[in-house]
Amino acid sequence: MQEIPAPARSPRIGILVVAYNAETTLEKTLDRIPVDFRSRIADILILDDASHDGTFTAGCRWSQAEGMPRTVVMRHTKNLGYGGNQKAGYALAAERGLDIVVLLHGDGQYAPELLPEMVAPLVNGEADAVFGSRMMHKGGALRGGMPLYKWLGNRILTRLENSLLGSRLTEFHSGYRAYSMAALRKLPIGRNTDAFDFDTQIIVQLIDAGMRIQEIPIPTYYGDEICYVNGLKYAKDVVKDVLEYRLAVKGFGTCPWIPKPDGYAFKEGDGSSHSVILERMRGLPPGRVLDLGCSGGLFAERLEALGHEVTGVDCVEVAGVREKCSRFLLADLEEGLPESVGRGYDYVVAGDVVEHLSRPERVLAEIAQVLRPGGQVLLSVPNFGHWYARLRVVLGVFGYDRRGILDETHLRFFTRASLRRTVRDAGYDVLHLTSTGAPFWALLGGRGLKGALAGALGGISRLLTRLRPTLFGYQHVAVLTPHAAETIIAGEHVDVQDILNRQYTPADRVGV
């Protein structure tokens, strides 16, 4: 007999009601929830954000009326802010095992009558978030009583935000939202602001994560409720959020509420340190390569295509890295090279790695031990002497970025002079040292007018770098070899350090 599959479980739907001084409107708003929809609601969560009136009492009174869905009423003893109240609500929704949560304002500004339409795309698996938009029907917001100045501000901000984010939403500033809890769990909303721009940050996070957003038209209603939003401050905050995100994507600032990608992007011929190292490797005979900090293996993949056999090492395993190199080792270089790395490498590549280590000299010394005689180290570091870093210090606005010279994960800063000193102290000779220009390709892109501008600025940067690499060089790229690693005595290879150890006592060395 053919087994009949069990019917799919209906999603658990929750309504998160955020309320502040909503004593006169809360119960009226909840009464408007469609009667035939109430049986589909698993929980109604009413969160009173430390109101000064009887909001909490009104919520309790409504929850105890006959026939109401299961309702939890909470009152914060301290005002958490609009965003902070939502964070508490979504945490409670996750704790109670909800699959879908709809954000509803207790002041009645958004229509509870449209709750079925709000959750439908989520129930059907067509979206990760649904936004109610007052702007989908032309003129509807103004007819609903939205003040002209608010309508104009809404339109201007939405157009600006769409332009900067590459989105096509009709409205960014509606507070009527429905979310898949599975989607919210993937977003670092705990790092978001507690203020009114919380909703904007969630939109940016959804777009950054490539999640699906749907809009449905909703009516506009402006009654006698009190607005607690400072319009000018709100406008400033949402613009700051979007600009902060755009700059973070380019590597500037830290933007803690947007996760960093695990792997780095790589493009041949982009002028980056990895591109310069790859070009250098093209002129070297194929051999065994140890790629430290290999990330997703994009660089290793290119080396393999040149005939090299690559062993990659990184503290994070990015998906697909094992397919791009001959061998991958998961190891934290802060603890030194793993013993399993082996020896006899022809080349060791440390592209933008040693600046992330608290003791780079130690790892550099260990690298010398895994090289074959005559092997080479190809190493790159950002130049802290670059005009960008100098200017930040001089102006008193020093701060970290997501990547680049002031990457927030850097533990050491290098200039050309300090790089020479570090590698010399670690026992290396510098065979070649060059500097790269600033990565305008990463900032502006490589297409159209922006691409042409990036090319022109890149050319100027390379010229200035040749003239004064200590000031205009963005990264320094060095080719190293261990200093006097071996000598030959009567046809026998002997480590020079062994000779010194036999020839001098510790006391003798002090006097040398």
Side-chain angles (χ1 to χ4, degrees):
M1 178 182 290
Q2 185 176 1
E3 184 176 345
I4 301 175
R9 179 179 69 86
S10 297
R12 287 175 50 79
I13 299 171
I15 312 299
L16 171 59
V17 184
V18 290
Y20 178 68
N21 290 345
E23 178 184 8
T24 60
T25 58
L26 179 59
E27 292 174 277
K28 296 175 184 177
T29 300
L30 295 170
D31 283 339
R32 292 165 56 192
I33 296 175
V35 175
D36 57 355
F37 182 73
R38 294 180 184 183
S39 61
R40 298 176 58 190
I41 300 174
D43 281 312
I44 294 179
L45 311 176
I46 302 174
L47 271 65
D48 173 14
D49 199 17
S51 297
H52 301 298
D53 62 6
T55 297
F56 178 72
T57 302
C60 291
R61 186 168 53 242
W62 188 87
S63 68
Q64 293 166 10
E66 185 178 352
M68 297 307 176
R70 185 169 60 177
T71 303
V72 176
V73 186
M74 297 176 59
R75 182 181 186 275
H76 306 310
T77 57
K78 175 183 177 181
N79 185 273
L80 302 182
Y82 176 69
N85 200 14
Q86 284 194 60
K87 292 179 192 178
Y90 298 136
L92 181 61
E95 181 181 306
R96 298 182 71 84
L98 298 178
D99 301 305
I100 295 170
V101 62
V102 185
L103 176 65
L104 184 65
H105 290 208
D107 60 9
Q109 190 177 122
Y110 299 106
E113 292 83 0
L114 292 181
L115 282 170
E117 288 81 358
M118 288 291 292
V119 302
L122 297 170
V123 172
N124 297 331
E126 300 167 354
D128 300 298
V130 179
F131 297 164
S133 171
R134 298 165 292 186
M135 302 294 176
M136 290 186 74
H137 292 159
K138 189 174 181 179
L142 291 174
R143 287 194 299 271
M146 180 180 288
L148 180 61
Y149 75 94
K150 287 193 175 186
W151 178 88
L152 186 61
N154 191 312
R155 300 307 301 144
I156 292 173
L157 287 175
T158 294
R159 177 167 294 188
L160 175 64
E161 288 160 325
N162 275 326
S163 174
L164 290 172
L165 296 174
S167 53
R168 300 180 65 182
L169 296 176
T170 61
E171 184 181 8
F172 268 73
H173 309 289
S174 164
Y176 205 5
R177 312 282 184 93
Y179 299 107
S180 157
M181 286 300 299
L184 285 185
R185 289 188 190 97
K186 297 177 183 177
L187 305 179
I189 62 174
R191 302 176 187 173
N192 289 12
T193 176
D194 290 337
F196 286 100
D197 53 320
F198 176 91
D199 285 345
T200 296
Q201 291 185 351
I202 277 203
I203 294 178
V204 175
Q205 289 170 331
L206 289 166
I207 292 173
D208 179 74
M211 294 189 184
R212 301 163 299 166
I213 301 174
Q214 277 196 28
E215 292 182 289
I216 68 166
I218 60 172
T220 303
Y221 171 74
Y222 273 82
D224 56 0
E225 70 277 355
I226 299 174
C227 179
Y228 295 95
V229 183
N230 182 325
L232 291 178
K233 182 181 184 303
Y234 172 76
K236 176 182 71 67
D237 288 342
V238 298
V239 171
K240 176 185 71 67
D241 289 337
V242 177
L243 288 176
E244 182 182 19
Y245 168 71
R246 290 301 303 164
L247 288 171
V249 169
K250 300 299 182 182
F252 298 101
T254 54
C255 197
W257 47 276
I258 292 293
K260 292 177 67 173
D262 291 330
Y264 61 78
F266 178 73
K267 176 184 175 185
E268 292 187 57
D270 58 18
S272 67
S273 58
H274 284 86
S275 180
V276 171
I277 292 174
L278 180 63
E279 193 59 36
R280 183 87 182 181
M281 293 291 291
R282 291 185 193 279
L284 298 174
R288 294 183 65 216
V289 180
L290 179 62
D291 183 8
L292 300 178
C294 65
S295 188
L298 297 179
F299 181 77
E301 185 178 40
R302 286 160 172 80
L303 291 181
E304 292 270 350
L306 294 176
H308 297 284
E309 179 186 316
V310 182
T311 295
V313 179
D314 212 318
C315 61
V316 175
E317 182 172 345
V318 179
V321 64
R322 294 183 185 271
E323 288 73 44
K324 294 182 175 64
C325 51
S326 298
R327 187 165 66 121
F328 173 77
L329 299 175
L330 186 65
D332 185 356
L333 294 176
E334 184 66 23
E335 305 298 325
L337 292 183
E339 291 185 7
S340 57
V341 79
R343 293 175 178 267
Y345 288 96
D346 300 289
Y347 315 104
V348 175
V349 175
D352 305 340
V353 169
V354 298
E355 65 272 17
H356 296 270
L357 305 175
S358 60
R359 296 172 59 195
E361 302 85 356
R362 169 190 167 187
V363 173
L364 286 170
E366 292 178 352
I367 288 173
Q369 301 301 313
V370 304
L371 277 173
R372 67 161 176 78
Q376 296 182 7
V377 178
L378 295 93
L379 172 148
S380 66
V381 295
N383 173 29
F384 190 70
H386 187 267
W387 62 264
Y388 169 72
R390 295 192 194 196
L391 188 63
R392 294 278 294 269
V393 173
V394 168
L395 295 179
V397 290
F398 175 85
Y400 289 97
D401 295 326
R402 288 167 71 92
R403 61 174 180 261
I405 297 171
L406 301 179
D407 189 310
E408 60 184 330
T409 63
H410 288 178
L411 300 179
R412 296 284 289 269
F413 291 125
F414 291 94
T415 63
R416 189 169 68 165
S418 68
L419 174 62
R420 286 183 181 275
R421 187 166 57 249
T422 299
V423 298
R424 184 185 66 234
D425 292 346
Y428 290 89
D429 291 329
V430 178
L431 301 179
H432 183 75
L433 180 61
T434 189
S435 302
T436 70
F440 288 104
W441 58 270
L443 180 62
L444 299 175
R447 295 181 180 179
L449 290 176
K450 289 184 177 180
L453 179 60
L457 292 175
I460 295 171
S461 177
R462 288 190 293 272
L463 174 61
L464 293 173
T465 297
R466 284 195 293 270
L467 294 175
R468 193 174 177 188
T470 55
L471 179 62
F472 294 103
Y474 191 77
Q475 289 178 297
H476 298 310
V477 182
V479 181
L480 316 171
T481 193
H483 176 65
E486 291 189 329
T487 189
I488 298 176
I489 299 178
E492 184 178 355
H493 291 273
V494 180
D495 192 294
V496 173
Q497 192 61 45
D498 289 342
I499 299 175
L500 293 175
N501 290 338
R502 292 197 300 267
Q503 200 167 6
Y504 299 106
T505 65
D508 291 331
R509 292 194 200 106
V510 173
V512 172

